[in-house]
Amino acid sequence: MSTFQAPKGTYDLTPPRSATFLAVREAISAPLRDSGYGYIETPGFENVELFARGVGESTDIVTKEMYTLTTKGGDQLALRPEGTASVLRAALEANLHKAGNLPVKLWYSGSYYRYERPQAGRYRHFSQVGAEAIGTEDPALDAELIILADQAYRSLGLRQFRILLNSLGDKECRPVYREALQTFLRDLDLDEETRRRIEINPLRVLDDKRADVQKQLTDAPKLRDYLCDACKAYHEEVRALLTAAGVVFEDDEKLVRGLDYYTRTTFEFVHDGLGSQSAVGGGGRYDGLSEMIGGPELPSVGWALGVDRTVLALEAEGVELDLPATTSVYAVPLGEEARRVLFGVVTELRRAGIAADFAFGGRGLKGAMKSANRSGARYTLVAGERDLAEGVVQLKDMESGEQSAVPLAEAAAELAKRLG
Ligand code: ATP
Ligand code: MG
């Protein structure tokens, strides 16, 4: 193993590709920020108990994928594998739900950790942007979140994604379905582990990716046929609102998702260019989660979109984001005196809000101009001894190639004017 290798299943974000990640985070969060969602940040780790209760003891995340650790003080912690449980925990701790303004709408962005088998699109450290709307049961809220995710992906230029939609029922109708499903599954030819899953989390069996399992599930009872009237009406309203908004979705009665706490609306965004790691994001309603972690009844809905897979989706579709150059002006000093003077101009430009950079290290004109080109700067400022003696700097427009002498004292103002 090389000394400079990131841990297995992880990778670094480095320029220039890292700029795309920032732009994706920005694009996903922009519609949320414009829709009343406030930013929340929680620790990268929590008491392991929170996830055991709030994600579910029967999920792969808790049983197999969680990074747990015991601190020197004896606390049992886990690196966060997902965001919802932490965000709800933090909202309850801060009493946000008591401020009288429901739903509490929050968005977050950060790193998540799962001990998974690394492969394309599946990492041990990945990044999500998520949203949670806490404390209100209203189909318009479910619709809002799906519409905002759709808007985010469209704003990035993604087109080959699909929205899968389902309802998981509630505490009235889901248990009846669960039992019918268990009865059906117990008669199938399944391995030991899957048989155990039938008893603790039978809906997850529907999510099994193996073809020989899927083949046996064709005649499985459908949750749709078991939904109670209230769940049916709720789901129809979500569908109607999405349709009215022009958001295209597919009904997918097999969609169950990995977490235990989902009720009613559940959805996934899949991208067709990603092979087997096709889910770019997902979410749903989790009316029982607050009580599960010891809080009051707070029906809520949320989603998390994977930043890594969204970037892969952009690459799969060949979408080039229109990322503006980070540097507008690049200064190239020739000689000691020019170095001091131009460094001053760069500082002045930066303070005026103009992105500027500088040829450090006293390189020659040729190397410095190469860096200027690479920076994407629209203008370069070049000055040598003779320029300074005349009280000017050479201002070069990198697009047109035109160059003119500008009085040193006016250089910053002239650039500000030209850059609008
Ligand atoms: P999968 O079925 O692919 O394991 P999941 O259901 O476990 O996904 P969620 O918990 O819903 O995923 O997380 C939401 C999003 O976070 C996913 O759609 C995906 O984009 C991203 N994500 C989840 N796990 C990983 C991972 N190990 N590496 C990269 N991205 C991930
Ligand atoms: Mg997973």
Side-chain angles (χ1 to χ4, degrees), residues 61 65 81-82 114 116 121-128 207 209 257-259 262 268-269 277-283 304-309:
I61 290 183
E65 298 172 1
E82 59 103 46
R114 295 183 194 176
E116 304 217 54
R122 189 175 294 288
Y123 312 105
R124 292 180 171 178
H125 164 262
F126 58 98
S127 124
Q128 292 183 337
D207 204 23
K209 303 278 189 302
R257 308 200 16 85
L259 314 188
Y262 283 105
E268 203 158 84
F269 285 76
Q277 267 58 253
S278 63
V280 285
L305 306 186
V307 176
D308 309 74
R309 287 187 197 169

Side-chain angles (χ1 to χ4, degrees), residues 314-385:
L314 288 170
E315 290 168 358
E317 278 198 46
V319 177
E320 292 269 355
L321 296 183
D322 187 20
L323 301 175
T326 47
T327 303
S328 300
V329 179
Y330 198 93
V332 177
L334 304 170
E336 268 308 298
E337 178 61 13
R339 192 171 66 91
R340 241 169 270 132
V341 171
L342 282 192
F343 189 71
V345 175
V346 163
T347 301
E348 192 185 345
L349 287 169
R350 288 172 176 170
R351 286 181 177 154
I354 294 170
D357 204 356
F358 185 77
F360 290 96
R363 277 167 307 160
L365 181 64
K366 210 170 145 207
M369 286 311 284
K370 238 186 224 164
S371 300
N373 263 320
R374 210 174 297 140
S375 77
R378 177 67 203 275
Y379 295 100
T380 50
L381 282 179
V382 185
E385 263 166 48

Side-chain angles (χ1 to χ4, degrees), residues 168-171 174 261-266 284-288:
L168 294 179
D170 63 7
K171 56 178 186 279
R174 175 117 123 244
Y261 53 64
Y262 283 105
T263 50
R264 290 196 168 169
T265 312
T266 188
R285 184 156 274 287
Y286 49 93
D287 292 342

Side-chain angles (χ1 to χ4, degrees), residues 377-380 395-404 418:
R378 177 67 203 275
Y379 295 100
T380 50
L395 194 163
K396 184 175 180 188
D397 182 329
M398 300 296 274
E399 243 164 58
S400 67
E402 271 169 49
Q403 186 171 317
S404 54
R418 291 208 198 183

